Amino acid sequence: MARSWTLATSYARRELRGGLAGFRVFLACLTLGVAAIAGVGSVSSALVEGLSQEGQTILGGDVALRLAHREATPEEFAYISQGTRVTKNAEMRAMAQAPRTDERTLIELKSVDGLYPLYGDVTLNPQMDLADALAKKEGRFGVAVEPNLMDRLNAQVGDILKIGELDVELRAVIEHEPDRVGGGLALGPRVFVNDAAMAETGLIRQGSLVQFFYRIQMPEDARTNGAVAAWVDDLREALPDAGWRIQDRSDSAPSVRRFVERVALFLSLVGLTALVVGGVGVGNAVNSYLEGKREVIATFKCLGAPGTLIFQMYLVQVMALAIVGVVLGLLLGSIIPFVVQQVAGDMIPIPTRFALYMGPLVLAGAYGLLTALAFAIWPLARAREIPASSLFRDLITPTRRWPRVPYILATGFSLLGLVGLAVGLTEERLFAIWFVVGAAASFVILRLTAVGFMALAKRAPRIRVPELRLAIANLHRPGAATSSVVLSLGLGLTLLVAVSLIDGNISQQVSDELPDRAPSFFFVDIGPDQVDGFEALVRAVDGVHEFNRVPMLRGKITDVAGTASENLSVPPNVKWALQGDRGITYSREMPEGSTLVRGDWWPQDYSGKMLVSLSEELAAGFGVGPGDEITVNVLGRNLTAEIANTREIDWTTVGINFVLVFSPGVLESAPHTFLATVSMDAGEEAALQRSVTRAYPNITSVRVKEALEAVNSMVEDFALAVRAISMVTLVAGVLVLGGAMAAGHRRRVYDAVVLKVLGATRGRVLTAYLYEYALLGFGTAIIASAAGGLVAWLVITQVMDARWTFLPGTLVATVVGAAVLTIVLGLAGTWQALSAKAAPVLRAE
Amino acid sequence: MNVDHAATSSSLSSGSASQDAVVQLQDVHLTLPSDAGDVNILRGISLDVAKGEAVGLVGPSGSGKSTLLMVLAGLERQSSGSVHLAGADFSKLNEDGLAKFRLAHVGIVFQSFHLVPTMTALENVAVPLELAGHADPFGKAAEELEHVGLGHRLSHYPGQLSGGEQQRVALARAVAGDPEILLADEPTGNLDGTTGEQIIDLMFDLHKRRGTTMVLITHDADLAQACDRVVRLRDGQVENIAPGTGRVMPQDKVTG
Ligand SMILES: Nc1ncnc2c1ncn2[C@@H]1O[C@H](COP(=O)(O)OP(=O)(O)O)[C@@H](O)[C@H]1O
Ligand SMILES: [Mg+2]
């Protein structure tokens, strides 16, 4: 065995002297796929590593505590500030108005004290100290704002802004806020004020939706993850009923990290698809290389070489080249993060640690080699079956036999290895499995349709237009590239269609359908003393169709059916409900948009033990039902209620709805504010907002249209990135197409010359080729559109539970684009064939 | 018939432009560039071929026979001199014009067949008919294949046919469109004796029955003698022209 490998290697080395011309596409396919996977892996490692190393900066401290509605009690504060440094920030949504331009906008207001920030720096423009920028000067406080506030208010540095009841001076623009990532989705620009100014705005009232953050810096010798975790454990034990959300530096931005990891997983699966598409090109290249070696192989056989030696000899050559391709890909892939850093480093909102990460590179290399094996073994195994007698036969009678079983198994194992790596190395296993299943199904469907397509072309009636008949005949001829083009181009297109349709559906929902069903405004922080006057004011405005108001508080679930929520293990889909505080309300009647599932609604005049109505999703997730108890911490008090019933909530109406609705009683007497929704004519929205801010400066209005725009632009940015990576798959498909064209080039030149000898003009030959590529392009695009459409439909209706809108524009664009691409590439490859002089070709044979 | 008469008279007045001549070459030169400088391949060839005449083209290897045939087929353009076929002045036709001319007037048979390997025998023969807009290209193609004795090989690919069979397909393809002029470059060069004989019989049969003008390159002196005239080339020039003996058609042994 070893001897035969040595021999094979030395023959292989001799043969490789012949040059690598036929392997350009082979190398390009492997390099591209490996580079994509390595690049995605390296960039995401840089992000995740950045998040973990900069945990304290993102969090703003080693530990961050968040309280809803209330500040820490003196005892609580005394405990957390023992031997540590603590900065207190109040954060809330509010309105800012610029009297000079009479514009107003929702802002994310944040008050800071002298210690802020504990980690990292705030940079302002013009350059100044944060405390200095916010300080009271000549009787007026200052604010620092994010740049987009300037656009929204048409304001400039030096302007006066009205926030709540306070006039402040816009002193500086925020260039960098160190703990921005931890902050979650921003509906408006950030505005910094200092504590004293915050107090004077009058925004912080009983029940207003304000969150207090206590960010804590440990003494230098207690900043390790272990020491921090121990401190947190002690805190939980000492103050179990504080009701705060606790986060520490070890996982400072879990949702961001999860997001990065998911995106990275998705993109690397897309990269893997590109690699597999390229695998078709790899297989083709090996095939046509071996086709050219038939004579050599037959001669070897004549000289008595066994089939195994032939297999080994060419396997060594192919894998040597594969290693070259993989190494090139890894080099390219490991450069990508640094390119990203150069080009977009400033735009990445989270800290990054760009470096060489071995993990993703090793993985990408393994993917590359496995792909090469999976696609090369098959043609290699068939080549070893080439009989010595084939010296006297040609293309028309290829060795049609299947490879022997061991080789089929080896191909299978390589593919399994790919799937195993893709699925085994991620925590999002289900998603990876679905992706692999989808890609494999698309692969099989495309393969089958390609076969069907060729069979159809073969059975097509003889069309009277000779150019068209030639084109159709070309699709099914022996050695036609139809199958590999349909497969490779089709897979890339399927992915692109699926991504485009899913993205299109989401943005259709967000930008077209939601606004129709959603109210025009949410108003929050309406004080109990204001709510009647506010309602009267709104109802008096022209164009208002609907007004709804509900009381609103925030509370944190601390205990479910006797188990503390930290100790509760629940499925991932309901985990969010236990993290941090939720909006809660009380009501006599069941809210609109709800349907009872279990239990009964309490009577109108109920006034007994506190009851709660829970969303069925949460109840099922927690494994509780009517009769069980739930404890919620509201304003530092633990309130225990019995579950009276569960409701199915229709969230698509975007009205007011709460997962927790309590019976009236205890909550009525707790300090709280009201939440109101208003539906109205779009034309009057600005007027309403203006009169509300004027009359009630403390009431925050969220214009749904603007909020949705913010969400939509985030979705769009994300979709753009996904589409860009999907393009890599398409590029791989195009490479395969190009490879197939190049492989068929000699045949095309010959065909063109013979056609010309028989009296065809260049125009007619060109037309025939044009028809052929158009058929191929349109055919592939239609199949891919159907497959991609199916995938998108499944994702939208089954996974996302959303309404499906058919988007013909996207499909047509894809179909036409693909056809044009195929035609252009095909003709570019054939142009030379068309203009080839007849005489030399005829002489050469 | 008139045709036969014209053929005879033209063979006697060779070299001079005649109204009846289907092929008229006047002082044709062809120079091609090569690594070792320009090569003068054809050096002043003048030749007329009358309608319905069969001309044998002989000469040592490298004397320019194939090149001359390429010029006649419009596949190679002369450097100087004039080429007229069937009344058309080649110097006035561009590449596409020449293609259309071939489609209408010329059939060609090569030594190495030049069939399209990925088309069946039937498809190969049908191509010129389709291009010419024939009403029933596949029916006619099948007929032609039948005629050369390949009625049972219609759906075979060239790779599945023997050399002789391939050449018969090529011949069927060349004559399917009833060309006025049939050009053949050593059509038997790649075939053994008997197989070659069959091809030649078929060609002369067509030539006789359809009155096709024929230019036939061959190494076989007997075969050349079977033509109406024998033109000998040497170093790109006409060395001499001699009348042939004509062919006695063994009527009983054609079309096998
Ligand atoms: N494209 C070309 N460039 C240069 N010389 C050529 C080319 N084609 C043919 N020749 C030369 O022209 C001469 C005539 O060739 P050819 O017509 O094939 O001769 P024949 O058919 O009589 O054997 C030969 O010497 C050949 O080498
Ligand atoms: Mg020759």
Side-chain angles (χ1 to χ4, degrees), chain B residues 26-110:
Chain B
Q26 197 78 55
D27 195 23
V28 170
H29 286 259
L30 180 68
T31 309
L32 285 178
S34 80
D35 295 341
D38 287 357
V39 196
N40 296 319
I41 301 175
L42 301 181
R43 303 192 293 165
I45 294 195
S46 297
L47 176 69
D48 282 7
V49 181
K51 202 171 167 65
E53 188 186 11
V55 171
L57 208 51
V58 296
S61 180
S63 57
K65 304 183 295 292
S66 294
T67 308
L68 182 60
L69 199 86
M70 293 286 190
V71 170
L72 287 174
L75 293 168
E76 192 89 83
R77 205 179 270 284
Q78 76 274 20
S79 310
S80 67
S82 77
V83 179
H84 287 81
L85 258 76
D89 183 352
F90 274 19
S91 61
K92 296 219 165 67
L93 295 176
N94 63 10
E95 196 185 331
D96 290 339
L98 289 168
K100 283 184 191 151
F101 179 83
R102 277 194 296 279
L103 185 57
H105 303 282
V106 185
I108 313 169
V109 181
F110 298 95

Side-chain angles (χ1 to χ4, degrees), chain A residues 579-602:
Chain A
Q579 291 158 351
D581 37 74
R582 310 255 66 79
I584 58 174
T585 188
Y586 59 90
S587 173
R588 294 190 183 281
E589 295 100 24
M590 186 166 67
E592 276 179 54
S594 291
T595 4
L596 272 187
V597 181
R598 293 185 272 168
D600 301 308
W601 195 261
W602 46 81

Side-chain angles (χ1 to χ4, degrees), chain A residues 396 462 464 466 469-470 477-478 750-751 754-762 764 838-839 842-843 845, chain B residues 67 76 95-96 99-100 102-103 108 112 114-119 122-123 127 130-131 134-135 138 157 173:
Chain A
I396 303 302
R462 289 196 181 113
R464 293 281 335 175
R469 197 198 67 75
L470 274 176
R477 288 190 180 175
Y750 182 76
D751 286 3
V754 172
L755 285 173
K756 284 197 267 183
V757 169
L758 295 179
T761 59
R762 281 168 300 180
R764 300 185 79 170
L842 294 173
R843 254 183 234 276
E845 300 278 322
Chain B
T67 308
E76 192 89 83
E95 196 185 331
D96 290 339
K100 283 184 191 151
R102 277 194 296 279
L103 185 57
I108 313 169
S112 44
H114 288 313
L115 298 173
V116 178
T118 51
M119 288 189 198
L122 186 67
E123 287 176 326
V127 169
E130 285 186 286
L131 290 173
H134 191 281
F138 288 91
Y157 287 97
R173 185 178 68 179

Side-chain angles (χ1 to χ4, degrees), chain A residues 564-747:
Chain A
S565 56
E566 301 91 81
N567 305 330
L568 218 55
S569 70
V570 295
N573 67 319
V574 298
K575 238 179 210 152
W576 56 271
L578 297 177
Q579 291 158 351
D581 37 74
R582 310 255 66 79
I584 58 174
T585 188
Y586 59 90
S587 173
R588 294 190 183 281
E589 295 100 24
M590 186 166 67
E592 276 179 54
S594 291
T595 4
L596 272 187
V597 181
R598 293 185 272 168
D600 301 308
W601 195 261
W602 46 81
Q604 272 272 349
D605 53 357
Y606 178 81
S607 64
K609 177 180 181 337
M610 194 161 138
L611 297 176
V612 65
S613 167
L614 189 63
S615 92
E616 173 60 29
E617 189 190 11
L618 286 193
F622 295 163
V624 295
D628 290 319
E629 287 191 332
I630 279 194
T631 303
V632 178
N633 184 301
V634 180
L635 293 163
R637 266 180 71 195
N638 278 333
L639 304 174
T640 302
E642 186 188 316
I643 300 174
N645 59 61
T646 62
R647 283 166 300 131
E648 193 71 58
I649 300 172
D650 179 11
W651 291 108
T652 57
T653 59
V654 208
I656 310 176
N657 229 322
F658 294 85
V659 288
L660 290 162
V661 180
F662 290 85
S663 61
V666 185
L667 284 182
E668 269 177 313
S669 49
H672 60 264
T673 58
F674 286 81
L675 168 68
T677 60
V678 173
S679 301
M680 64 185 304
D681 296 342
E684 309 295 329
E685 283 179 13
L688 175 65
Q689 194 176 35
R690 209 171 305 131
S691 43
V692 170
T693 349
R694 218 167 269 150
Y696 303 102
N698 70 300
I699 294 179
T700 301
S701 57
V702 179
R703 210 163 160 180
V704 172
K705 216 175 287 159
E706 282 172 8
L708 286 177
E709 269 163 24
V711 172
N712 203 22
S713 84
M714 244 180 60
V715 171
E716 286 302 307
D717 288 351
F718 173 61
L720 195 71
V722 171
R723 234 177 293 185
I725 300 283
S726 303
M727 282 292 175
V728 174
T729 317
L730 204 59
V731 171
V734 168
L735 275 177
V736 176
L737 175 65
M741 290 293 163
H745 184 67
R746 228 171 69 95
R747 201 200 86 197

Side-chain angles (χ1 to χ4, degrees), chain A residues 536-547:
Chain A
L537 182 147
V538 171
R539 289 200 186 274
V541 172
D542 284 343
V544 170
H545 314 307
E546 219 185 306
F547 177 90

